[in-house]
Amino acid sequence: MSTTVTLQSTLRTSAPRLAQPFGTAIAGVVAAVAAWMRPRNESPAEAAARLRALASQYSSQPSFAADLRAAADRHEQENGL
């Protein structure tokens, strides 16, 4: 003996009422966090200082350190510093 049960229902074709506001809010939070974590552009003076600091770490390779210092000098000259 077997019994068959037939259930009739309609498929939902739209999202729940609060799905759109929650999705928009979460997307806004994610965008804000991404913008906060994005590194800022450094100024030409900061870039040259970073190159010189990197050059000071290469005391065992003086020619490479000199190349980095020369690149920092060129960068400053190109940017009028």
Side-chain angles (χ1 to χ4, degrees):
M1 175 174 198
S2 67
T3 305
T4 304
V5 176
T6 303
L7 300 175
Q8 295 183 2
S9 65
T10 59
L11 294 175
R12 175 176 275 183
T13 58
S14 63
R17 275 185 289 152
L18 294 177
Q20 180 66 35
F22 280 147
T24 302
I26 290 171
V29 168
V30 169
V33 169
W36 178 71
M37 293 178 66
R38 187 176 305 121
R40 68 174 183 82
N41 292 334
E42 62 186 2
S43 71
E46 290 171 330
R50 187 173 46 81
L51 275 175
R52 287 195 176 89
L54 185 62
S56 69
Q57 295 176 4
Y58 285 95
S59 59
S60 63
Q61 297 175 344
S63 64
F64 185 65
D67 288 344
L68 288 173
R69 287 187 192 95
D73 291 341
R74 280 192 307 273
H75 186 70
E76 285 182 338
Q77 287 175 353
E78 288 173 0
N79 289 291
L81 297 176

